[in-house]
Each structure stands twice: as C-alpha cells, then as structure tokens.
Amino acid sequence: MWLCFPVVSAQHNFHTSEQILPNSCVLIFPMFLFNTVKVGDILPSLTTDYLVLKTIGEGVYGEVLECLDIKNQKIVAVKILKYPNARQNAKHEMSFLKIISPLNHKNLVKFFERFKYKRQECLVFEMLYRNLQYFIIVNPDRIPLNKIRAIAKQLFMAMEALSTVVQPIGFRAPEILLGLPYTNAIDMWGVGCVLANLYLRFFLFNADTDYEMMRQVVQLLGQPEDGLLHAGIYTKKYFIKVKRTNGSTWRLKDQSSLSSLSEKTAEVYNESNKNTRQNFKDC
C-alpha cells in the first residue's frame, strides 16, 4: 500500500499557530514508472477527463501523476496501479478509502474516484504537494522539536477520526507481527516510528519483510515475553521453541540469513542515542 502511517494532510504553519498550506501533507505515495502514460495524455473517466501534467515519481505498486481535472479545473493526483496485482491492490485500497472518504476530515487525504485507463486501475486523490521525505530534505540539519510537535499534533488529530488502519512494514506494531489481539494502541507505535524518522533522519526500523522487522524490534527493544509468544498466531514465523529442564522458551530464529541494522542506524544506536534507546525500553 501507499500509506504512510497514518494518512494526514499537514495544514499547519510550523513557525506559528496559524493553519496554512492545505495542500501540504505527510503522505508518501509509492510510485513506479512503467510508461503506460506520458505528459499530455488525456485520461477519461465517467465524470471528467484528466490531462497528464507530469509524473510525480515512482514506487513498487504504481505510478502517481499530477493531472488537471479538465471539467473542474483543479489539480489532482492520479495513481495508476501496477500490474500484475493492480486489481487486488485496488480492492484493498478501496476498502480503506470507503472508510475514510465519508469522514471529510481536514487531516485525511481526500479521495475522488476510481476508473480504468487502458485496463489499468486508476485512483484519483486531492493533490498533496509535500511529504515527510521532502520536509526532511529541506531541513538539512536536525528538525527542531517544535516542528516535529506540529506534525505530531496533525497525526493525533487524524487518529481521532480513524480506527486502526493497515501499517506498512517499517511501522508495524509487534502485536500485528505476532498475530496478537490489538487495540488502537498500535497507532501510537506507528506515530512513534514516524516521529522518530523525523528526529533521527532515518527509519527507526529499516525492514522490508516482517521477519526482518521482528529481528530489529528484538535488537532494539528486547524479545517479547514468552506469554505473548505462546499466544501469537504467527510466532513461529520468527521464533523457535527451545526445550529446557524447567519448561520451554522461545528463541529468535537464526539471523545468519538476515541483514543487520544499517551501519548508520547501528552507529546512532550504539554511540549517540544510548539514552534514547533506554527511553524506548522504559516506555
């Protein structure tokens, strides 16, 4: 999915308390350039035609275009999903969009319609010009805490309108990884990962699989208690049961085939942020 946890529209002036830039956001679209369209093409839907102005970027699941809604004369973002899983991805995203669309919340991205172009699934959203990666780039030094607080406020406002949503791997809470019962508390985990990314300037958990995500969680925070591992539906994906004289316990599977934390991450954890790591353990 293209979700950056959670999907919000950043409409806050980071230097004052005024609300500005309704088209700013902390949404990160994944984009994959696969040459199905080009600048100047017209994408027709049942409600309007969209003129392709430029490609915003690329990712694993699709290409996102900046387009002009010709009928309504407004700029929109059109996401074209990548085959072979376009239909499944569209169905998955639509199930989520059906939940958030009626909310009409200022901190949630607005979804307009779905249509097909040359048999490709297309989703139309309001145009959001900034994302977290852009915000990090334009702040070459560490982002001041007052700016991070402003973003955190917007995230929490979005959470008030949302129930728990799907979390990308690098933001996925241990309860989800293990298949344990969960509450909206997992949203706090996701928010924490987003804010840590802003403060540390790299992802707290740099993982591309559930397996690697769990390994890094254990490396940073320690192994979950045996009681939780016994109850987890997916525990055996990550741990093996070890018999002992006084019973059995769990051990993380062999790490030899898994990559370690990035050199930069390890350096920060081991040298610069020992106190931060301890604070995470104490939470």
Side-chain angles (χ1 to χ4, degrees):
M1 282 192 64
W2 44 261
L3 284 177
C4 170
F5 175 90
V7 184
V8 299
S9 173
Q11 303 178 28
H12 197 277
N13 184 329
F14 297 115
H15 301 288
T16 73
S17 59
E18 297 177 1
Q19 297 294 312
I20 63 167
L21 296 177
N23 288 325
S24 300
C25 71
V26 295
L27 171 67
I28 302 179
F29 287 104
M31 309 150 204
F32 192 90
L33 187 59
F34 42 94
N35 297 322
T36 57
V37 297
K38 60 183 182 296
V39 173
D41 281 352
I42 299 293
L43 313 182
S45 76
L46 293 177
T47 63
T48 185
D49 292 333
Y50 297 100
L51 171 64
V52 179
L53 301 178
K54 66 179 180 180
T55 298
I56 299 175
E58 59 183 305
V60 175
Y61 297 107
E63 177 182 9
V64 176
L65 310 169
E66 180 178 329
C67 297
L68 173 66
D69 177 343
I70 296 176
K71 178 181 178 180
N72 299 300
Q73 288 296 297
K74 65 180 180 181
I75 303 298
V76 297
V78 177
K79 179 180 180 182
I80 304 181
L81 299 178
K82 177 188 175 185
Y83 275 108
N85 298 315
R87 182 175 299 177
Q88 180 180 352
N89 291 339
K91 183 178 179 181
H92 190 61
E93 293 197 23
M94 285 302 300
S95 64
F96 175 77
L97 292 170
K98 286 179 181 178
I99 298 174
I100 70 168
S101 293
L103 298 176
N104 194 29
H105 192 281
K106 66 179 181 179
N107 290 98
L108 297 175
V109 64
K110 290 180 174 60
F111 169 71
F112 297 128
E113 68 168 332
R114 171 187 177 183
F115 67 95
K116 285 189 177 182
Y117 175 73
K118 294 183 179 179
R119 302 171 69 180
Q120 301 268 27
E121 295 281 353
C122 302
L123 304 175
V124 184
F125 301 87
E126 66 173 317
M127 186 64 191
L128 303 173
Y129 289 97
R130 295 184 181 182
N131 56 45
L132 288 181
Q133 190 62 38
Y134 172 85
F135 189 65
I136 292 173
I137 291 173
V138 299
N139 287 272
D141 300 320
R142 178 164 289 181
I143 301 172
L145 286 176
N146 66 315
K147 293 186 178 182
I148 295 177
R149 290 191 189 101
I151 294 175
K153 180 179 178 180
Q154 295 168 56
L155 290 171
F156 294 137
M157 289 174 65
M159 286 173 57
E160 289 180 354
L162 286 174
S163 57
T164 299
V165 298
V166 176
Q167 296 178 312
I169 290 176
F171 304 86
R172 198 162 293 168
E175 296 97 313
I176 302 299
L177 293 170
L178 292 172
L180 292 167
Y182 62 87
T183 67
N184 288 347
I186 70 169
D187 294 338
M188 294 301 297
W189 173 281
V191 170
C193 290
V194 171
L195 299 181
N197 176 212
L198 289 174
Y199 184 74
L200 300 173
R201 302 184 67 80
F202 59 88
F203 291 112
L204 191 62
F205 301 107
N206 185 24
D208 55 9
T209 66
D210 285 346
Y211 206 93
E212 175 64 8
M213 179 65 181
M214 177 58 72
R215 190 192 69 79
Q216 293 186 19
V217 168
V218 171
Q219 180 174 341
L220 179 61
L221 302 175
Q223 183 168 305
E225 296 178 359
D226 279 358
L228 296 175
L229 297 179
H230 284 310
I233 298 174
Y234 308 125
T235 296
K236 291 183 179 179
K237 289 174 58 177
Y238 321 103
F239 300 90
I240 58 175
K241 187 175 289 187
V242 179
K243 291 184 178 180
R244 293 182 177 177
T245 55
N246 59 345
S248 61
T249 186
W250 294 92
R251 178 174 60 81
L252 190 65
K253 288 185 176 180
D254 185 8
Q255 301 180 31
S256 60
S257 62
L258 300 173
S259 61
S260 61
L261 287 174
S262 67
E263 181 179 346
K264 182 178 180 181
T265 303
E267 179 181 351
V268 172
Y269 287 159
N270 295 331
E271 298 178 9
S272 304
N273 281 298
K274 291 182 179 179
N275 292 334
T276 301
R277 179 169 55 183
Q278 185 61 47
N279 289 337
F280 276 120
K281 290 183 178 180
D282 292 340
C283 292

